[in-house]
Amino acid sequence: VNGELKDIVVSKYNVPRKRILLNLDCEAMFDRIYFVKKKMYIGDYFWRGVLKVGRMVKGLILKKYNFPDIVREVQLQLLEMKMAGKGEDDILDYLINVKEKLLSGAMDDKLVIAQRVNDPKTYKSGLNVYAKAALKMGDRFVPGSIVRLVYVTDEDVEPVIDGKIPKISFSGRIYYW
């Protein structure tokens, strides 16, 4: 590509070849790629002739830690299905299955959200859900530590203490859907 680019510049602008300092480089070349939206994609990449070196994920929730496991797992499975060429019927069947499990309570352990929280008493513009959960922890909360919580209703959260997940209502499970 760089050789062709130099040839074009020499012929079109009559610039001596040794004066052209522009060289293009790329991060990776993809065998297959699926764009979710701008700057959000998953793809199988290769490098220097070696096919499928790995899978690259950019800008997706899969990389963020403050989302519940269910979101990461479902997003990953949907992207894997899309990369494998699965059709809409397969994807819809998968989502229906996930929804049934979620609403039945079979996935409550995958609904935990984690976030590092500073001292909630120093918050000036109101408490977010993480700070509210931290306050509910009482003496167990240490400022700067990670707070784990679940939505027990569509508007209320409870902390997860010692791995024990509080009872989640139907409206709490609907919140995650």
Side-chain angles (χ1 to χ4, degrees):
V1 172
N2 286 316
E4 290 178 26
L5 181 62
K6 287 180 182 182
D7 291 343
I8 291 169
V9 172
V10 167
S11 66
K12 189 169 183 175
Y13 299 105
N14 200 23
V15 175
R17 196 169 195 61
K18 64 182 178 185
R19 306 248 344 222
I20 301 171
L21 303 175
L22 178 66
N23 281 313
L24 298 178
D25 195 11
C26 66
E27 182 178 341
M29 296 175 64
F30 290 88
D31 178 42
R32 259 189 330 228
I33 190 165
Y34 178 72
F35 285 93
V36 176
K37 64 181 191 178
K38 187 177 180 179
K39 296 186 181 182
M40 295 176 74
Y41 61 87
I42 184 171
D44 294 329
Y45 69 96
F46 60 95
W47 190 243
R48 303 196 191 275
V50 178
L51 285 176
K52 199 166 180 184
V53 172
R55 180 151 287 165
M56 187 178 292
V57 178
K58 293 284 184 172
L60 300 170
I61 292 173
L62 300 172
K63 300 286 224 168
K64 298 181 179 182
Y65 72 93
N66 62 342
F67 280 83
D69 288 344
I70 189 172
V71 174
R72 282 192 293 274
E73 288 175 16
V74 168
Q75 188 180 65
L76 178 61
Q77 184 61 34
L78 291 174
L79 291 169
E80 293 286 350
M81 292 173 81
K82 204 67 172 150
M83 292 291 290
K86 299 288 184 184
E88 289 179 15
D89 290 341
D90 293 327
I91 291 171
L92 187 57
D93 288 344
Y94 169 71
L95 289 172
I96 289 169
N97 185 30
V98 168
K99 185 176 183 179
E100 288 171 355
K101 286 181 182 177
L102 170 68
L103 297 180
S104 73
M107 301 182 96
D108 285 359
D109 61 322
K110 296 182 183 294
L111 304 180
V112 178
I113 303 169
Q115 177 73 39
R116 187 170 307 280
V117 178
N118 294 321
D119 189 353
K121 295 171 189 146
T122 64
Y123 285 40
K124 293 182 175 139
S125 60
L127 298 177
N128 61 27
V129 293
Y130 307 105
K132 289 177 184 175
L135 288 174
K136 289 180 180 183
M137 291 175 69
D139 293 341
R140 291 174 173 247
F141 173 69
V142 177
S145 64
I146 293 176
V147 172
R148 289 172 175 71
L149 63 90
V150 291
Y151 276 84
V152 291
T153 69
D154 58 343
E155 296 178 355
D156 193 26
V157 297
E158 287 292 331
V160 174
I161 299 172
D162 297 329
K164 186 176 181 206
I165 298 172
K167 183 171 174 41
I168 300 172
S169 71
F170 188 75
S171 70
R173 290 190 187 102
I174 289 288
Y175 170 83
Y176 289 93
W177 186 250

